[in-house]
Amino acid sequence: EFVYDFIKERTPGPPSGVIETGYNFIHALKRFNYDADCDLFLTIFLGETSEDVYKDQLRLVFDLNKLFFIMDVLHCKPEEPGRLSKRVIRTGLRAFFAKKSEERLLEVLKAVDEDSPGTHAEWGRLFEEDQSTFDQSAFVEKVRGQMLDERMEFFDTLEDVLYTLTGWKEPCTRVQIENAVIQMDISGQMTVEEAKWVVSKGLQGGGLRDKDL
C-alpha cells in the first residue's frame, strides 16, 4: 500500500500511468536483482519473504566480520595486521559455512578473489562499501544473495513436504509443520522439541498465529 500511494502521488494523470510506473518499477528491480538490496526488496515487495530476512542478513555479515577478526588475531603477522592468507580464509569459510553446497561455497571463495586478487587479502576491504555507488563488496553481495536464495528454497521445500503430509489439503496444523521440519532434517537427528522451537521462530518471524495456519 505504501509503494502504491508513493507512486500515485508522483504520477499525475490517469490511473493507467500509475500502473505503467508500477510495472517499470518492478522491471527495474528485476534488472538490478544482482544487487542484494534490490533482490531482497523485490521478494519482500512481491510478498515472497518477510522484512526479517534483512535483519538476518545483517547478522550474518556481522558474524562473518567477527570470524575474520578472530582469524586476524590468530594468523596475521604482527607487522601485517589485517592481511590474511587465502588458505586461512578458505579454511575459515569452509568451517563457517559447513552446510553450504560445494558449488555455493566456491562462489563465495570466488567473490573473495574478485574483491582481493592474489594469495592474500586485506580482509577489511571485504566488508567495505563503495561510497560513490553504495555498492557492497562482491563477497558481501554473494553471501547475502545466497542467504536469501537458501531461505526461499527452504520454504519451497517445506511447502512441498507439507502438501504431501496433508494430502494437498489446507489449512495445515502446527504439528504437521513440525513433522515436515523433522522430515526435512537430512541428519535425521532433530528432536520434536527442536522442531517446535524452529516452528515457533518461523511463526514469529512471519508474523503468523496459530489460527492463520
Side-chain angles (χ1 to χ4, degrees), residues 4-190:
Y4 172 77
D5 292 336
F6 179 85
I7 293 175
K8 186 178 180 181
E9 290 176 2
R10 288 160 178 76
T11 309
S16 59
V18 177
I19 297 174
E20 182 179 353
T21 302
Y23 276 117
N24 290 336
F25 179 58
I26 294 176
H27 175 74
L29 287 172
K30 290 181 178 180
R31 180 182 177 186
F32 295 103
N33 70 347
Y34 59 83
D35 179 271
D37 289 310
C38 288
D39 193 26
L40 177 60
F41 185 89
L42 178 62
T43 58
I44 294 173
F45 182 69
L46 297 178
E48 296 175 353
T49 191
S50 73
E51 297 178 18
D52 290 329
V53 177
Y54 178 66
K55 298 176 184 178
D56 292 338
Q57 287 181 339
L58 294 183
R59 189 177 300 111
L60 170 63
V61 174
F62 178 77
D63 289 342
L64 281 168
N65 206 312
K66 286 198 300 183
L67 169 69
F68 275 82
F69 176 79
I70 292 171
M71 291 192 294
D72 185 309
V73 172
L74 294 176
H75 299 286
C76 283
K77 298 178 180 179
E79 64 273 17
E80 293 182 314
R83 191 167 186 265
L84 281 168
S85 75
K86 292 289 181 66
R87 178 184 59 80
V88 170
I89 292 175
R90 287 193 294 269
T91 301
L93 289 176
R94 281 188 178 278
F96 186 89
F97 291 122
K99 295 184 179 180
K100 254 190 203 307
S101 69
E102 182 66 16
E103 180 181 359
R104 280 186 166 147
L105 182 59
L106 290 176
E107 290 177 355
V108 172
L109 297 177
K110 182 179 179 181
V112 172
D113 289 333
E114 183 179 335
D115 287 325
S116 187
T119 59
H120 290 70
E122 302 288 339
W123 68 265
R125 295 180 180 177
L126 299 179
F127 299 92
E128 290 180 353
E129 186 176 86
D130 190 313
Q131 296 303 308
S132 60
T133 63
F134 300 106
D135 286 336
Q136 295 175 307
S137 67
F139 171 68
V140 170
E141 291 278 359
K142 180 58 66 176
V143 295
R144 286 185 61 196
Q146 285 189 357
M147 182 182 191
L148 177 61
D149 291 341
E150 290 161 355
R151 183 72 59 91
M152 300 290 288
E153 290 167 5
F154 171 83
F155 283 109
D156 285 343
T157 304
L158 177 61
E159 183 178 45
D160 291 339
V161 173
L162 277 171
Y163 276 129
T164 300
L165 290 176
T166 61
W168 294 86
K169 295 179 181 179
E170 296 184 10
C172 61
T173 65
R174 177 188 284 263
V175 173
Q176 287 172 324
I177 298 177
E178 293 167 0
N179 290 336
V181 170
I182 291 175
Q183 187 170 318
M184 290 172 62
D185 175 36
I186 58 176
S187 71
Q189 298 178 352
M190 179 175 285

